[in-house]
Structure formats: structure tokens, C-alpha cells
Amino acid sequence: VFLFKGSKYWALQGFDVLPKYPKNIYRLGFPRTVKKIDAAVHLQGTDKTLFFVEDQYYSYDEAKYVMDKTSPQPIVDDFPGIGKKVHAVFQENGHLYFFSGHKQFVFNIRSQKVTQTLKTASWLGCSTDSKH
């Protein structure tokens, strides 16, 4: 697990921070204009990790340890329907689950389309009904 705060990141194994951390995000190839990472996800079955920064995303090649030359790209170009800002993201069962504000977008990786829009709290089993 990696945690990001500002221009630093930490690697954790269980509850322990691994030696030689924190590290600077610029070691990953981000330009100095990037001040923080909003969200990140490793794409299962690939050597790619996507980093979301404001209204763009960067693709990092885990095998070559470099940022892809096509980075950054506008989020709206490759992930239509999720908006311009990503606060959190994870992958499960062929879908990316994007969280932006109070909404969650279920994005089908194969079809490259949003298949469902939910309230962010739906994962927690929370009720938005004030009677509970």
C-alpha cells in the first residue's frame, strides 16, 4: 500500500512503514508543477499505475520505472462520464470505481463507459435518511 500526502509518499506493509520512506513524488517522474496526488490505482494484469492530479492523469510504467511519454492526459478524454476530478479510485472485477465529491462512478474498463452512478456512501452501507 502506498500513501500520498503533498509531494511525499510512503510504502506500508501491514501497519509498518518500509525503510527509506517517505520519498518524493518527483522521483516517479512528475513535473515540479504537481504538488500532490489526488488518487492512484494500479491496473491489475498490467504494469501500469494511474495517478490522478487535478483534471489530468499520469500513467506510470511499473516495468520500466518511468512515467509514460503520453502523460499527462485529460481525465475526460479517457474516462468519459466521471467528470474532471477524482478523489479516490480502486479496481475490482473489471471495473474502476471512481469517487468524486458525493458521487461514485462504476467504469467498465472494456467498454470504456460509466455503467452506474451511485452515492459515495453506498460502499459503507450508510443511510442518507436523517431518521436513522
Side-chain angles (χ1 to χ4, degrees):
V1 172
F2 289 93
L3 298 177
F4 295 86
K5 183 175 181 182
S7 63
K8 304 280 185 202
Y9 70 101
W10 292 258
L12 279 71
Q13 187 169 23
F15 294 106
D16 299 322
V17 175
L18 295 180
K20 300 184 181 178
Y21 284 90
K23 293 184 180 179
N24 199 301
I25 62 172
Y26 306 116
R27 294 179 66 177
L28 298 172
F30 288 101
R32 295 280 175 182
T33 54
V34 173
K35 302 301 180 200
K36 69 181 189 83
I37 307 299
D38 296 320
V41 63
H42 175 76
L43 298 179
Q44 299 166 4
T46 73
D47 289 325
K48 302 291 182 180
T49 296
L50 304 181
F51 295 94
F52 295 86
V53 177
E54 297 185 13
D55 62 349
Q56 300 179 321
Y57 77 95
Y58 293 78
S59 177
Y60 184 78
D61 189 317
E62 301 278 348
K64 297 178 183 175
Y65 301 103
V66 296
M67 204 65 72
D68 287 342
K69 292 179 182 178
T70 58
S71 292
Q73 294 290 321
I75 294 170
V76 296
D77 286 0
D78 293 331
F79 301 98
I82 68 161
K84 294 181 179 181
K85 182 78 170 169
V86 175
H87 294 116
V89 59
F90 70 91
Q91 181 180 356
E92 185 175 301
N93 298 326
H95 292 84
L96 291 171
Y97 293 80
F98 289 97
F99 296 81
S100 181
H102 297 291
K103 292 185 179 179
Q104 171 191 205
F105 302 93
V106 181
F107 187 85
N108 185 296
I109 296 171
R110 279 203 182 116
S111 69
Q112 296 289 293
K113 293 181 183 176
V114 172
T115 58
Q116 195 172 16
T117 303
L118 304 166
K119 293 181 179 179
T120 299
S122 68
W123 278 96
L124 305 173
C126 296
S127 172
T128 57
D129 185 355
S130 61
K131 296 177 186 176
H132 293 229

